[in-house]
Amino acid sequence: MELRDIRNRLGTAVLAGGTALVLASCTLPVRFATPEEVQQATNPTPVTVGGGGSAPAPAPGGLDQIQADLRRLISQVGPSVVRIDIGTASGSGLLLDSIGTVVTPASLVAGSQQVSITTSSGQKYTGFVAGADTNSDVALVRVSGATGLTPAPFGDSTGVQLGDVVVSIGSKSVSQGIVSQIASGLIVTTAPAGSEGSGSALVNIAGQVIGMTTLGSQGALGVAIPSNQVNTVAQQLLKGGSPTPSGKAFLGVTLTDATGGGAQVQSVVAGGPAATAGIQSGWTILAIGGHSVSNAAAVAPILATYAPGQRVAVTVRLPNGSTRSIQVLLGSG
């Protein structure tokens, strides 16, 4: 039997039952409603729910709690994030101490000796690049005459796991997401890079900085250098030394995503493998050793399959649209 037939028969049965009930009631004495009953029927007394006339207070948790937590994180870490201006470019940096020692991506300050620093409260300082390690993309900037600044609350990045909720806090923007991947020693998140895109604090829900964002963004994704690596390199630079080579293959370039695919070379390390081979900034890397390069983040996993001292063919596209294959002797990063 179809559902429509069932509904029709059920409606007929209800109608018949209702008619019988009405006819049966007509055999009983009929009582008319009193004026009070008519008044109550036409103007019923309002019924309150829960014993009161006001809406119940929102339960703990939910969106109110999430918003409160986000505001807490921003107010806790925001004073430790500074703005860095280099000519027409800008980014962020993280305070290591109260006197203005700042850690920032080396790719952001590449080629610069002097930068402008602005704190979250609007204080402006002149900063000087005190050291940089292009392999790890970590640099130090120092200012003079600063006191009472708020150091960033760094945490242990070894505890970062896939799915962890994170907030990216820059000098001009904030975004939220989760850890989507941990690849080639970098933390990839769904928290998109802000307008400055580099040097923001990647913060966990405990309010600890577990990474520093870098230029290796992948569209809507963000890429961050783990905090432990940031601190280790920063301490070595503070002592005037250079980080110990990792033994990994090193190309000697800083990269960003290229329009239409590939990794565009932003800067070339002087005397590095790419510079020695003739690769220039503004060129786009399309392949390494026959492995296609879809974006900037694809380069590190490819290089991880090679050893320092190996020669590899790097296919590049020049600004005029032509392509060429260049042999590069990989260094040690």
Side-chain angles (χ1 to χ4, degrees):
M1 181 181 297
E2 295 185 357
L3 181 59
R4 183 176 57 185
D5 295 334
I6 295 175
R7 287 177 174 172
N8 291 339
R9 295 192 179 188
L10 183 59
T12 302
V14 171
L15 179 61
T19 303
L21 180 61
V22 172
L23 291 175
S25 65
C26 290
T27 61
L28 299 177
V30 177
R31 184 182 71 85
F32 294 98
T34 64
E36 291 78 9
E37 291 173 334
V38 173
Q39 177 67 24
Q40 175 61 27
T42 54
N43 297 287
T45 302
V47 178
T48 58
V49 179
S54 59
L63 293 178
D64 287 340
Q65 186 62 50
I66 292 174
Q67 180 164 294
D69 289 341
L70 286 175
R71 288 178 175 174
R72 173 180 58 82
L73 291 178
I74 295 169
S75 63
Q76 180 177 334
V77 180
S80 304
V81 181
V82 299
R83 176 176 173 177
I84 299 180
D85 291 295
I86 316 98
T88 58
S90 66
S92 298
L94 310 179
L95 286 165
L96 292 179
D97 54 35
S98 61
I99 58 174
T101 304
V102 178
V103 63
T104 192
S107 53
L108 176 63
V109 295
S112 300
Q113 294 182 332
Q114 182 174 313
V115 298
S116 176
I117 302 291
T118 306
T119 67
S120 63
S121 61
Q123 297 170 286
K124 294 184 180 295
Y125 300 96
T126 298
F128 300 90
V129 180
D133 177 61
T134 55
N135 294 343
S136 59
D137 198 19
V138 175
L140 278 183
V141 175
R142 289 187 170 182
V143 303
S144 58
T147 58
L149 302 180
T150 306
F154 283 95
D156 184 1
S157 57
T158 60
V160 176
Q161 298 183 25
L162 297 180
D164 284 356
V165 176
V166 290
V167 179
S168 178
I169 302 176
S171 60
K172 298 185 293 183
S173 62
V174 176
S175 61
Q176 182 186 8
I178 63 170
V179 175
S180 60
Q181 189 179 6
I182 301 175
S184 301
L186 298 173
I187 303 172
V188 183
T189 78
T190 59
S195 55
E196 61 267 50
S198 185
S200 299
L202 189 68
V203 183
N204 61 18
I205 59 174
Q208 300 170 326
V209 178
I210 46 90
M212 177 178 69
T213 63
T214 183
L215 289 175
S217 60
Q218 305 179 63
L221 300 180
V223 179
I225 307 166
S227 59
N228 289 8
Q229 181 177 349
V230 171
N231 273 318
T232 297
V233 176
Q235 293 305 316
Q236 291 171 331
L237 292 174
L238 279 171
K239 296 174 183 178
S242 298
T244 303
S246 63
K248 297 180 180 179
F250 173 57
L251 188 57
V253 293
T254 58
L255 304 167
T256 188
D257 291 349
T259 303
Q264 187 175 45
V265 178
Q266 284 200 318
S267 63
V268 182
V269 177
T276 302
I279 295 176
Q280 301 177 22
S281 60
W283 293 8
T284 298
I285 297 177
L286 302 177
I288 299 175
H291 301 282
S292 178
V293 173
S294 58
N295 53 34
V299 171
I302 295 174
L303 289 178
T305 64
Y306 293 91
Q310 282 187 282
R311 285 190 179 276
V312 62
V314 178
T315 303
V316 296
R317 182 177 63 233
L318 277 58
N320 63 9
S322 64
T323 61
R324 68 175 63 171
S325 179
I326 299 176
Q327 291 291 323
V328 179
L329 178 63
L330 297 173
S332 178

